[in-house]
Amino acid sequence: MNTSPTDVASTPGPDRPVTAPEHPTRSVGDLVRAAVSGWLGTALEFMDFQLYSLAAALVFSQLFFAADDPGMAVIGAMATYGVGYVARPVGAWFFGRMGDRIGRKKVLFYTIVLMGLATTLIGVLPTYETVGILAPALLVALRLLQGLGAGAEISGAGVMLAEYAPTKRRGLVASLVALGTNCGTLFASAIWAVLLVVVTEQQLLDWAWRIPFIASAVVMVFAVWVRFNLKESPVFEARGDVVDGEAVTADEVEPVSEQKAEQVAEFREARPLTVKAVAVAFLLRFGQAGNSGMIQTYLISFMTVFLMLDKQLSTEVVIYSSLAAFVTVPVVGLLGDRFGRKTMYTIMSAIALVVAIPCILLIVSGVTWQVILGYVVLHNLAVMSLASMENLALPEIFGARNRYQATAVVREIAAIVATGATPVIAAAIVAATGSWIPVAVIIMFFSACALFAAVWMKEVAGRDLTDPNPAM
């Protein structure tokens, strides 16, 4: 029997329920600051993501790799893009564990500084023509640093907003994280679109490609300033094992606090993870991340290299789609609050599965308006609608004891398998077959993975986030 979102609030995890302490109060201003902080951090992460995605598709194959074989140079650029995902699970494990121990606020400060500095430094790298093989080596090193910070950034932002938001408005508030991805994508794409108009191709290769990466420092500085004034998550402070802002074991509680020691021991007895919780969260993320890698990264390269469409059109479709997502994301978040995460995941992933082939056919037609329509529909249904729910559903699936670490690690392992490898595999298959069919098939596969997880999962909307047990 399905459980409605309102019923879940009183439903304990798979083990015995643990009495939750009262939440510390937070004002509307605190919620706004948390929302802006999460939005900015995620915007910076996805600005970095889109800056590199577009640069890899448009110029990096010429700047950082030998130009003897253009096809291999594109594969090299995509592979360097994938390298960033190698470091993300490490960053997710390290910073996620730290976030469950010392709180979300401190860790989100560390991650945004690391991520932002690495992105800015890409803008001052020497090219292959100047230093040879050292150029891609330095690019790989900075991509690894980017990955360490990014591995825990978006997960931490999602956890923070889920733990800040009123129970009945979690879907809408947490969708701001997905809007951050949208804003970052839009900003990066707009910068590239302007560059392609105002500079010549030679100027772009000589120096103008550096501007977007260096300009990202402005967003980083603003995000750091906002996080200085951010209060800790009320759910984290209400955890049964938190003393003076840090999680402790029963042995670490002062002897005079016998009652607190018992509360800590009770909290620590909860089961931290279950196979089903991990599997469902993994497949939900795997489906969305795979589609993101295919549509936001590889499809841009596919349009410029395989279909030989104008580079300007490749950036314009991303801008139009990002603008459309300002409607898609909050609407799906609101519907998730109304009908539950399970229902909306099932509906949106099923629609994404159905529209994959028609949308790819529109794109390969080469007709400008059809290319734009196909990309906008596919990106919003297969990527942004799932992202709207993902940043909330994953924190709701896991318990309070290790929510940050579990959310971050599952997200990033799924991403390294799906998003990191898929553009490289797609580029190789399309180069070998000369067909668009593998592109559609891969997108359908990822949508099917999300659909399977949606059907399998239990409803998680409205559950008590101070419960240390996973939801299923």
Side-chain angles (χ1 to χ4, degrees):
M1 181 176 69
N2 291 334
T3 308
S4 70
T6 53
D7 292 336
V8 179
S10 58
T11 303
D15 294 329
R16 62 184 177 84
V18 177
T19 303
E22 204 172 309
H23 291 209
T25 58
R26 292 289 184 267
S27 67
V28 174
D30 293 331
L31 176 58
V32 170
R33 276 188 289 274
V36 172
S37 169
W39 168 71
L40 278 172
T42 309
L44 179 61
E45 176 181 349
F46 270 74
M47 185 171 72
D48 299 345
F49 172 89
Q50 192 67 18
L51 284 176
Y52 188 88
S53 296
L54 290 170
L58 300 174
V59 296
F60 274 7
S61 60
Q62 301 171 67
L63 291 170
F64 289 96
F65 301 91
D68 300 340
D69 187 340
M72 288 304 298
V74 170
I75 293 174
M78 291 295 110
T80 307
Y81 157 82
V83 162
Y85 285 89
V86 174
R88 290 177 74 116
V90 178
W93 175 83
F94 178 78
F95 288 116
R97 188 165 184 260
M98 186 186 297
D100 283 324
R101 173 77 180 186
I102 66 173
R104 288 63 164 113
K105 175 185 174 180
K106 294 176 184 175
V107 171
L108 285 172
F109 176 81
Y110 303 149
T111 57
I112 202 167
V113 170
L114 180 61
M115 187 174 61
L117 285 177
T119 301
T120 303
L121 290 175
I122 288 177
V124 299
L125 285 179
T127 64
Y128 188 91
E129 184 180 4
T130 305
V131 295
I133 195 67
L134 182 60
L138 290 172
L139 182 61
V140 167
L142 289 178
R143 284 289 292 162
L144 289 172
L145 289 177
Q146 256 187 346
L148 283 174
E153 170 61 39
I154 193 169
S155 296
V159 167
M160 178 70 95
L161 283 185
E163 293 183 344
Y164 249 93
T167 301
K168 294 182 179 180
R169 290 291 178 264
R170 284 181 194 155
L172 177 61
V173 173
S175 73
L176 294 174
V177 176
L179 279 183
T181 72
N182 193 45
C183 292
T185 299
L186 180 61
F187 184 54
S189 301
I191 291 177
W192 276 106
V194 170
L195 286 177
L196 290 173
V197 170
V198 302
V199 303
T200 66
E201 185 168 351
Q202 190 57 49
Q203 288 174 326
L204 183 67
L205 292 170
D206 287 343
W207 55 268
W209 68 269
R210 301 180 184 275
I211 294 174
F213 294 95
I214 296 173
S216 70
V218 176
V219 179
M220 178 190 68
V221 170
F222 185 44
V224 167
W225 176 76
V226 170
R227 288 186 179 178
F228 267 126
N229 300 310
L230 182 64
K231 292 182 181 178
E232 184 53 80
S233 153
V235 170
F236 177 80
E237 290 188 346
R239 275 174 43 170
D241 64 338
V242 169
V243 177
D244 295 329
E246 292 193 16
V248 298
T249 64
D251 294 336
E252 293 172 326
V253 181
E254 292 295 329
V256 293
S257 306
E258 183 177 343
Q259 183 179 3
K260 183 63 178 178
E262 292 177 357
Q263 188 179 25
V264 171
E266 180 187 16
F267 187 91
R268 291 273 170 174
E269 286 175 6
R271 185 189 304 177
L273 294 172
T274 62
V275 172
K276 183 172 181 178
V278 172
V280 167
F282 178 90
L283 288 172
L284 290 176
R285 171 59 175 161
F286 183 75
Q288 192 276 341
N291 280 341
S292 177
M294 282 298 297
I295 296 167
Q296 293 182 250
T297 302
Y298 175 70
L299 205 52
I300 302 300
S301 181
F302 175 79
M303 288 190 288
T304 56
V305 177
F306 183 78
L307 300 180
M308 293 187 291
L309 299 178
D310 187 82
K311 289 182 178 180
Q312 182 69 25
L313 178 59
S314 298
T315 57
E316 286 177 358
V317 296
V318 176
I319 293 173
Y320 292 136
S321 190
S322 297
L323 290 172
F326 280 103
V327 176
T328 302
V329 169
V331 167
V332 172
L334 280 168
L335 292 174
D337 284 330
R338 174 66 180 84
F339 300 106
R341 322 300 178 220
K342 177 182 174 71
T343 299
M344 289 307 299
Y345 254 117
T346 301
I347 292 172
M348 300 313 300
S349 55
I351 293 174
L353 181 64
V354 171
V355 303
I357 290 179
C359 287
I360 295 297
L361 284 172
L362 287 172
I363 291 170
V364 300
S365 72
V367 179
T368 299
W369 72 267
Q370 293 184 17
V371 172
I372 294 171
L373 177 63
Y375 187 91
V376 169
V377 171
L378 190 59
H379 178 231
N380 275 263
L381 294 178
V383 178
M384 297 310 300
S385 66
L386 301 184
S388 176
M389 295 178 288
E390 174 185 281
N391 295 305
L392 173 63
L394 267 60
E396 286 179 322
I397 286 172
F398 297 111
R401 179 175 167 184
N402 63 344
R403 175 171 293 121
Y404 195 158
Q405 184 181 21
T407 299
V409 170
V410 168
R411 278 182 56 94
E412 300 311 327
I413 290 178
I416 194 174
V417 175
T419 316
T422 299
V424 182
I425 295 171
I429 294 175
V430 170
T433 64
S435 172
W436 59 267
I437 295 176
V439 178
V441 170
I442 293 172
I443 292 172
M444 291 173 69
F445 166 74
F446 286 119
S447 299
C449 289
L451 178 59
F452 174 79
V455 172
W456 187 25
M457 73 183 291
K458 292 181 180 179
E459 183 55 74
V460 294
R463 75 180 299 245
D464 179 11
L465 293 185
T466 61
D467 186 346
N469 297 294
M472 60 192 79

